[in-house]
Amino acid sequence: MEEKVVPTRLGKQSERIKEKNMADAKRIEVDIAKVREAIQSGIPLTITTYTLPHEMEDYMADVLKVFLTEVKQDQMVESLSYCLKELVNNGKKANTKRIYFEEKGLDITKKADYDEGMKTFKMDTITNINYYLEKQKSKGLYIKTIMQTRNNKIKIEVRNKAELAYIEYKRIHDKITRAQQYNSVEEGLAQLLDDSEGAGLGLVIMILVLKKVGLTEENYQVLCDNGETITRLILPFSEKMKSDMATLSEKFVALINGLPEFPENITEINRVINDPNSKMSDIAMKISNDVSLTAELLKLVNSAAFALATPCQSIAEAVKLAGLRGIKNLLFSIGSMKSLGDEDEEKVKTLWDHAYRVAFYSYNLARSFCRGPSERAIIDDSYVCGLLHDMGKIIFETAHPTIMEKVGELCENYGISPGLFERMMAGVNHSEIGAKIAEKWNFPPVISNVIRYHHEPNEAPDEQKKLASIIYMADLLAHDQDGSAGYFQGDTEIMQQFSIQSEEDFNNLSDKLNKAFRREKR
C-alpha cells in the first residue's frame, strides 16, 4: 500500500508519494481541509512523482478539483483536468526520452540523432515501459505539479527534471501555431494527427480546450530553468470573483482607517530623529524616558549581531551603536507590536512566534548573502521587514470580531459569499493589507514594499528585490520548521540566490538557522 503524504505538509518529509506498490493501492483520498489551508496561507500545493502511475494521475486530478472548487472556479474543472493530464504525461514522456536516448548513445540536441531516436522511441518504450520508468526514478527525473492562487490568478505548473532541446521546443511552438488555425476541438481532431509523438495532437487539443473556456495560448507558457522544463497555465479568476474581491478590498481598506494610531511616544521619537537639528543626546533622552524602549534598545545592541566585548549599559552609547536607521527600525517593530494586538491570544501569539523566527532568519540570511557597503542597508532593514511581513494577517486576527461583523453586512449588501472575505484576507491579500497599514503609519517605502511583495519578490521595485527575496526565503524556511511548507514549494530561481541547489542544501540551511534561533531564545 502506498504511503499517503499530504502535499501541503512537506517540511522534512518529502511530499513524494511512494510508488513501489502503487498498482495495488486504492484511490488516494484528498485532505480537503489541508488544501483549504494551503490556499488561505498562499502556500503552493505541490505533488512530486517519478513514474506517474494511474493512481497518481487520479490523485492529481482530485486535488485539482478540490483546489478549483475552493477558489470558486468550478466551471474550469473539466477543462483544466484535461490540461493537467496532458502536461504531466508530456513531462513523464520527456523524462523517459532522456533515458532512452542516453542508452541508445544518441544526442537529443542534434537533429539527426533526434530524428533517428524518435523512429523507435514510441514502440521500444511502450513494450518495456517499466524498465524506463525505474531508470528515470533512479536518476531523479521527477514530474512536479504545483497549484497556487496569486494576485487574482490561478497558477498551475508542471515541472520535469529535463530541459527541452531546441528541436522539442520548436515542435511545441509549431503545435501552438497550428492550434491557432482551428476554432474548436472537433475541428482540430478532424484535421490533425501526429504519428511520431502522440503528445503533439494532445497539445493542440489542450490549446483548443483553453480557447473554449475563454483563454488563449498566451495563458500557456513553456520555459527552461536550472535543468527543468516548466509548463505553466496562468488563469484569471472569473469576472464575478475579481469584482467581488475588488469590492471587498476597497471596503476593507476603508475599515483600516479605524485602526489605532501608531503609539504617540514612538511617533514623537521619530519626529526627533527626523529633525535635522536634533543631536544623538536628544534621541537618547527621549528613549530613556520609556522603560520598554530602553530595555529593547539595550537588548538589541547586546545581541550577537553587535558582538560587543563587554555589555553596553548606556543608552547614549546604545544609540550611537544602533545608528539612526537601526533605532527607526526598532521603533517600527515595537510600535507595531503594541498596536497589533495582545500576544496572549493563541492565534496572535502563533503569528508573532512565526514573525520572530522570520525576522531572525532574515537578518542572518542578509548578513551571509549581502556583501559590501552598498548592501549594508539591506542588513539593517532585514530584521524589521521579517518581523512585520505578516502584519496583514495579524491585524486580521486582532480586528476580527468587529471587522467581520461589518464585512458580513457588506457581503450581504453586495451579494458576495462571506467565505470569500476569509479566504482573501487569510490568503494572498494579507500582503496588500499589511502594506496599506504600514503606509497609514508612515513607514518608509522599503518596509511597506517588502510587506507587499514578500510572496512575489520578483514583482518588487528593483531597489527592494533582494530584501524581498530574503524575507521570502526566511518565511519559507520558517514554514519548513512548522511543517507547513518546504523545499518543493520554493521558487527555484530565488533559492539559487542562497546557494540552494537541492533538497539537501535546503534542509541543511533550515537546520542551521533553527539551531541558531533556539540558542538565541535561551
Side-chain angles (χ1 to χ4, degrees), residues 200-264:
L201 179 58
L203 180 56
V204 172
I205 295 174
M206 189 187 79
I207 298 298
L208 294 173
V209 166
L210 292 175
K211 184 184 292 188
K212 189 174 182 179
V213 293
L215 304 171
T216 71
E217 66 278 357
E218 293 180 3
N219 297 93
Y220 173 66
Q221 302 171 356
V222 182
L223 59 149
C224 295
D225 180 57
N226 192 37
E228 290 183 319
T229 293
I230 304 165
T231 50
R232 183 180 294 155
L233 295 174
I234 304 293
L235 312 166
F237 283 151
S238 67
E239 289 303 315
K240 175 172 173 31
M241 187 168 186
K242 285 193 289 186
S243 174
D244 288 351
M245 290 181 73
T247 298
L248 283 179
S249 294
E250 180 185 344
K251 299 301 179 184
F252 186 75
V253 168
L255 293 176
I256 291 177
N257 292 326
L259 286 174
E261 294 297 324
F262 208 60
E264 180 57 33

Side-chain angles (χ1 to χ4, degrees), residues 34-63:
K34 290 184 176 177
V35 173
R36 185 177 297 139
E37 178 187 343
I39 293 168
Q40 291 178 342
S41 302
I43 296 172
L45 283 161
T46 306
I47 309 167
T48 299
T49 179
Y50 293 92
T51 59
L52 193 65
H54 178 68
E55 289 78 6
M56 178 62 83
E57 281 192 70
D58 287 343
Y59 179 63
M60 288 180 175
D62 290 345
V63 171

Side-chain angles (χ1 to χ4, degrees), residues 56-74:
M56 178 62 83
E57 281 192 70
D58 287 343
Y59 179 63
M60 288 180 175
D62 290 345
V63 171
L64 178 66
K65 182 177 181 179
V66 172
F67 175 78
L68 292 173
T69 301
E70 286 296 315
V71 295
K72 303 300 181 185
Q73 302 299 300
D74 313 60

Side-chain angles (χ1 to χ4, degrees), residues 324-342:
L324 293 182
R325 196 182 192 100
I327 293 170
K328 280 188 174 184
N329 286 339
L330 179 68
L331 296 177
F332 294 137
S333 301
I334 295 172
S336 299
M337 286 186 282
K338 285 185 175 182
S339 300
L340 294 181
D342 185 358

